[in-house]
Amino acid sequence: MRPFGTIVVGVAGLALWAVLLTAAGRNVGKEEAAGFEIEDMPTEWAEPNAPADATAEQSPASADGAPEIPVEAAPQTGEQAAPDAAGEGAGVRPVNPELFASPLAAAPEKLERIEPRAPLETIQPKTERVKVVLLPRPESVEAGLIAFGPRNLKIADIATTDRMRMCPTSKGGDWPCGMVARTQQRLFLRNRTISCDTDSAEWEGMIEARCRVGELDIATWLAENGWAEAPAGSPLVALTDKARTERRGLFGDDQR
Protein backbone atom coordinates (compact mmCIF):
# COMPACT_ATOMS: atom_id res chain seq x y z
CA MET A 1 0.00 0.00 0.00
CA ARG A 2 2.85 2.34 0.83
CA PRO A 3 4.64 1.93 -2.53
CA PHE A 4 1.47 2.78 -4.39
CA GLY A 5 1.05 6.04 -2.46
CA THR A 6 4.66 6.99 -3.16
CA ILE A 7 4.15 6.52 -6.88
CA VAL A 8 1.02 8.67 -6.87
CA VAL A 9 2.82 11.53 -5.09
CA GLY A 10 5.78 11.37 -7.52
CA VAL A 11 3.52 11.46 -10.58
CA ALA A 12 1.66 14.47 -9.16
CA GLY A 13 4.95 16.32 -8.55
CA LEU A 14 6.14 15.70 -12.10
CA ALA A 15 2.85 16.98 -13.46
CA LEU A 16 3.10 20.17 -11.38
CA TRP A 17 6.70 20.78 -12.58
CA ALA A 18 5.60 20.32 -16.22
CA VAL A 19 2.83 22.91 -15.76
CA LEU A 20 5.28 25.46 -14.28
CA LEU A 21 7.78 25.01 -17.12
CA THR A 22 5.03 25.47 -19.72
CA ALA A 23 3.87 28.71 -18.10
CA ALA A 24 7.43 30.07 -17.92
CA GLY A 25 8.04 29.34 -21.60
CA ARG A 26 4.94 31.24 -22.60
CA ASN A 27 6.06 34.34 -20.64
CA VAL A 28 9.53 34.33 -22.25
CA GLY A 29 8.02 34.05 -25.70
CA LYS A 30 5.80 37.06 -25.07
CA GLU A 31 8.77 39.18 -23.92
CA GLU A 32 10.85 38.28 -27.00
CA ALA A 33 7.93 39.09 -29.26
CA ALA A 34 7.62 42.54 -27.70
CA GLY A 35 11.32 43.57 -28.48
CA PHE A 36 11.98 47.14 -29.55
CA GLU A 37 10.75 48.90 -32.62
CA ILE A 38 12.77 51.00 -35.09
CA GLU A 39 11.30 54.11 -33.50
CA ASP A 40 12.97 53.18 -30.20
CA MET A 41 16.47 53.09 -31.72
CA PRO A 42 18.87 55.96 -30.81
CA THR A 43 19.27 58.72 -33.35
CA GLU A 44 22.90 57.95 -34.04
CA TRP A 45 21.93 54.34 -34.91
CA ALA A 46 18.93 55.18 -37.05
CA GLU A 47 20.77 57.89 -39.06
CA PRO A 48 24.39 56.82 -39.59
CA ASN A 49 24.86 59.38 -42.39
CA ALA A 50 23.79 62.36 -40.33
CA PRO A 51 25.98 65.51 -40.74
CA ALA A 52 28.82 65.97 -38.29
CA ASP A 53 27.40 69.30 -37.11
CA ALA A 54 24.09 67.71 -36.16
CA THR A 55 25.67 65.06 -34.01
CA ALA A 56 28.04 67.58 -32.45
CA GLU A 57 25.16 69.87 -31.45
CA GLN A 58 23.29 67.03 -29.79
CA SER A 59 26.21 66.11 -27.44
CA PRO A 60 24.54 62.98 -26.04
CA ALA A 61 25.29 62.19 -22.42
CA SER A 62 27.19 59.13 -21.38
CA ALA A 63 25.87 56.38 -19.17
CA ASP A 64 26.94 58.17 -15.98
CA GLY A 65 25.33 61.47 -16.99
CA ALA A 66 28.55 63.28 -17.98
CA PRO A 67 28.60 64.88 -21.46
CA GLU A 68 30.73 63.14 -23.99
CA ILE A 69 33.92 64.94 -25.07
CA PRO A 70 33.97 65.52 -28.84
CA VAL A 71 36.79 63.74 -30.61
CA GLU A 72 39.24 66.11 -32.29
CA ALA A 73 39.77 65.71 -35.98
CA ALA A 74 42.92 63.81 -36.84
CA PRO A 75 45.67 65.80 -38.55
CA GLN A 76 45.54 65.71 -42.31
CA THR A 77 48.00 63.39 -43.92
CA GLY A 78 49.00 62.41 -47.40
CA GLU A 79 47.27 64.23 -50.22
CA GLN A 80 45.12 66.30 -47.86
CA ALA A 81 48.20 68.03 -46.43
CA ALA A 82 49.78 68.73 -49.82
CA PRO A 83 49.91 72.40 -50.90
CA ASP A 84 47.49 73.59 -53.52
CA ALA A 85 48.40 75.15 -56.82
CA ALA A 86 48.75 78.64 -55.27
CA GLY A 87 51.31 77.42 -52.73
CA GLU A 88 48.95 77.81 -49.78
CA GLY A 89 47.94 75.21 -47.26
CA ALA A 90 51.33 73.51 -47.10
CA GLY A 91 51.33 70.63 -44.66
CA VAL A 92 53.23 71.17 -41.43
CA ARG A 93 54.52 68.28 -39.41
CA PRO A 94 53.11 68.60 -35.86
CA VAL A 95 55.83 68.83 -33.25
CA ASN A 96 54.00 68.34 -29.99
CA PRO A 97 54.82 65.66 -27.41
CA GLU A 98 51.17 65.50 -26.35
CA LEU A 99 49.83 65.04 -29.88
CA PHE A 100 49.55 61.47 -31.16
CA ALA A 101 50.06 61.74 -34.88
CA SER A 102 52.17 60.35 -37.66
CA PRO A 103 55.46 62.21 -38.26
CA LEU A 104 54.71 62.08 -41.99
CA ALA A 105 51.98 64.72 -41.91
CA ALA A 106 53.76 66.54 -44.74
CA ALA A 107 55.79 65.36 -47.66
CA PRO A 108 59.53 65.24 -46.81
CA GLU A 109 60.43 67.49 -49.73
CA LYS A 110 58.19 70.26 -48.32
CA LEU A 111 60.06 70.54 -45.02
CA GLU A 112 62.36 73.53 -44.67
CA ARG A 113 65.76 73.18 -43.06
CA ILE A 114 66.98 76.26 -41.18
CA GLU A 115 70.49 77.15 -40.18
CA PRO A 116 71.57 76.11 -36.67
CA ARG A 117 72.02 78.83 -34.09
CA ALA A 118 75.44 80.23 -33.48
CA PRO A 119 77.50 78.62 -30.70
CA LEU A 120 77.23 80.21 -27.28
CA GLU A 121 80.92 81.13 -27.41
CA THR A 122 80.22 83.60 -30.23
CA ILE A 123 77.09 85.01 -28.60
CA GLN A 124 78.57 85.64 -25.15
CA PRO A 125 81.91 87.45 -25.15
CA LYS A 126 84.67 85.63 -23.40
CA THR A 127 86.19 87.27 -20.35
CA GLU A 128 89.92 86.85 -20.15
CA ARG A 129 90.93 85.25 -16.90
CA VAL A 130 94.11 86.55 -15.31
CA LYS A 131 96.53 83.83 -14.33
CA VAL A 132 97.26 83.81 -10.61
CA VAL A 133 100.52 82.43 -9.23
CA LEU A 134 101.19 81.59 -5.58
CA LEU A 135 104.53 82.84 -4.30
CA PRO A 136 105.70 81.52 -0.91
CA ARG A 137 108.07 83.11 1.63
CA PRO A 138 108.05 86.77 0.46
CA GLU A 139 110.86 89.00 1.75
CA SER A 140 110.19 92.70 2.27
CA VAL A 141 112.97 94.79 0.71
CA GLU A 142 111.10 98.08 0.88
CA ALA A 143 107.47 99.09 1.29
CA GLY A 144 106.06 98.16 -2.13
CA LEU A 145 109.00 95.91 -3.10
CA ILE A 146 109.20 92.16 -2.37
CA ALA A 147 111.99 89.67 -3.11
CA PHE A 148 111.92 85.92 -3.71
CA GLY A 149 115.57 84.95 -3.58
CA PRO A 150 117.34 86.65 -6.52
CA ARG A 151 114.02 87.76 -8.07
CA ASN A 152 112.24 91.01 -7.19
CA LEU A 153 108.56 91.93 -7.54
CA LYS A 154 107.26 95.49 -7.41
CA ILE A 155 103.70 95.94 -6.22
CA ALA A 156 101.59 97.57 -8.98
CA ASP A 157 99.65 100.86 -8.52
CA ILE A 158 102.00 102.01 -5.75
CA ALA A 159 105.44 103.65 -5.55
CA THR A 160 108.09 101.97 -3.42
CA THR A 161 109.22 103.76 -0.28
CA ASP A 162 112.98 104.06 0.02
CA ARG A 163 114.00 102.33 3.23
CA MET A 164 116.48 105.16 3.88
CA ARG A 165 113.78 107.83 3.66
CA MET A 166 113.48 110.30 6.56
CA CYS A 167 110.20 112.07 7.33
CA PRO A 168 109.73 115.31 9.35
CA THR A 169 107.81 115.38 12.62
CA SER A 170 105.47 118.04 13.92
CA LYS A 171 108.17 119.09 16.44
CA GLY A 172 110.76 119.84 13.77
CA GLY A 173 112.77 116.60 13.92
CA ASP A 174 113.09 113.67 11.53
CA TRP A 175 112.33 110.01 11.92
CA PRO A 176 113.27 106.97 9.76
CA CYS A 177 109.88 106.50 8.15
CA GLY A 178 111.31 104.33 5.33
CA MET A 179 112.63 101.68 7.73
CA VAL A 180 109.36 101.76 9.70
CA ALA A 181 107.34 101.37 6.47
CA ARG A 182 109.38 98.27 5.51
CA THR A 183 108.86 96.82 9.00
CA GLN A 184 105.10 97.42 8.80
CA GLN A 185 104.93 95.63 5.45
CA ARG A 186 106.92 92.71 6.86
CA LEU A 187 104.52 92.43 9.80
CA PHE A 188 101.58 92.55 7.39
CA LEU A 189 102.93 89.76 5.16
CA ARG A 190 104.23 87.66 8.09
CA ASN A 191 106.07 85.39 5.65
CA ARG A 192 102.72 84.12 4.27
CA THR A 193 102.25 82.94 0.69
CA ILE A 194 100.92 85.70 -1.55
CA SER A 195 98.97 85.39 -4.81
CA CYS A 196 100.05 87.59 -7.71
CA ASP A 197 98.63 88.24 -11.17
CA THR A 198 101.56 87.05 -13.25
CA ASP A 199 102.12 84.46 -15.96
CA SER A 200 104.76 82.39 -14.25
CA ALA A 201 106.38 81.81 -10.87
CA GLU A 202 109.79 81.82 -12.56
CA TRP A 203 111.25 85.05 -13.92
CA GLU A 204 114.52 86.91 -14.00
CA GLY A 205 115.26 90.34 -12.60
CA MET A 206 112.22 92.40 -11.58
CA ILE A 207 108.56 92.29 -12.58
CA GLU A 208 105.51 94.33 -11.57
CA ALA A 209 102.20 92.74 -10.56
CA ARG A 210 99.18 93.09 -8.32
CA CYS A 211 99.43 90.85 -5.27
CA ARG A 212 97.18 89.88 -2.40
CA VAL A 213 97.41 88.27 1.01
CA GLY A 214 94.25 86.24 1.23
CA GLU A 215 91.55 88.70 0.10
CA LEU A 216 93.54 91.85 1.01
CA ASP A 217 95.26 93.75 -1.78
CA ILE A 218 98.79 94.71 -0.69
CA ALA A 219 98.88 98.01 -2.61
CA THR A 220 95.52 99.05 -1.17
CA TRP A 221 96.67 98.27 2.36
CA LEU A 222 99.91 100.28 1.94
CA ALA A 223 98.05 103.30 0.50
CA GLU A 224 95.31 103.28 3.16
CA ASN A 225 97.83 103.22 6.00
CA GLY A 226 100.17 105.74 4.38
CA TRP A 227 103.26 103.48 4.12
CA ALA A 228 103.57 104.01 0.36
CA GLU A 229 102.38 106.72 -2.02
CA ALA A 230 100.28 106.16 -5.13
CA PRO A 231 101.72 107.88 -8.21
CA ALA A 232 99.66 110.14 -10.49
CA GLY A 233 97.24 108.12 -12.59
CA SER A 234 96.97 105.28 -10.09
CA PRO A 235 93.49 104.21 -8.92
CA LEU A 236 94.80 104.51 -5.35
CA VAL A 237 95.54 108.26 -5.43
CA ALA A 238 92.44 109.02 -3.36
CA LEU A 239 93.66 106.67 -0.62
CA THR A 240 97.04 108.43 -0.50
CA ASP A 241 95.35 111.84 -0.23
CA LYS A 242 93.17 110.57 2.61
CA ALA A 243 96.19 109.16 4.48
CA ARG A 244 98.01 112.49 4.08
CA THR A 245 95.00 114.40 5.42
CA GLU A 246 94.68 112.09 8.41
CA ARG A 247 98.48 112.09 8.95
CA ARG A 248 98.90 108.32 8.71
CA GLY A 249 102.13 106.44 8.12
CA LEU A 250 104.73 108.51 6.29
CA PHE A 251 102.68 111.68 6.82
CA GLY A 252 102.47 111.44 10.60
CA ASP A 253 104.84 111.71 13.53
CA ASP A 254 107.44 109.19 14.70
CA GLN A 255 105.61 105.89 15.25
CA ARG A 256 108.47 103.84 16.66
Side-chain angles (χ1 to χ4, degrees), residues 36-50 55 58:
F36 60 87
E37 301 297 335
I38 298 299
E39 290 76 6
D40 297 334
M41 295 177 58
T43 305
E44 60 269 22
W45 292 358
E47 299 178 1
N49 297 326
T55 57
Q58 293 177 2

Side-chain angles (χ1 to χ4, degrees), residues 106-170:
E109 61 273 8
K110 300 303 180 181
L111 299 179
E112 181 182 356
R113 182 181 296 275
I114 62 175
E115 296 294 331
R117 64 167 176 78
L120 295 178
E121 289 76 7
T122 59
I123 298 176
Q124 300 177 354
K126 291 184 177 179
T127 56
E128 297 183 359
R129 298 182 60 183
V130 180
K131 187 175 181 181
V132 178
V133 176
L134 299 179
L135 302 174
R137 298 181 296 277
E139 179 184 355
S140 294
V141 179
E142 295 176 343
L145 182 62
I146 303 172
F148 300 90
R151 298 167 299 162
N152 294 329
L153 187 147
K154 179 185 176 299
I155 302 298
D157 300 329
I158 207 77
T160 60
T161 302
D162 188 359
R163 63 178 178 273
M164 303 304 297
R165 177 175 174 176
M166 302 296 292
C167 297
T169 64
S170 58

Side-chain angles (χ1 to χ4, degrees), residues 158 218-230 236 239-240 243 251:
I158 207 77
I218 297 177
T220 301
W221 184 86
L222 290 172
E224 285 179 342
N225 292 276
W227 298 120
E229 299 182 63
L236 305 179
L239 295 179
T240 297
F251 313 107

Side-chain angles (χ1 to χ4, degrees), residues 171-189:
K171 298 180 180 180
D174 295 329
W175 63 287
C177 57
M179 296 294 292
V180 176
R182 184 183 68 171
T183 302
Q184 292 297 324
Q185 177 178 286
R186 182 182 299 165
L187 295 175
F188 173 68
L189 298 179

Side-chain angles (χ1 to χ4, degrees), residues 56-98:
E57 293 178 357
Q58 293 177 2
S59 299
S62 60
D64 56 356
E68 293 185 355
I69 301 176
V71 180
E72 298 182 358
Q76 295 182 351
T77 59
E79 297 180 356
Q80 296 180 359
D84 54 13
E88 298 179 356
V92 179
R93 181 172 61 182
V95 182
N96 187 350
E98 299 180 356

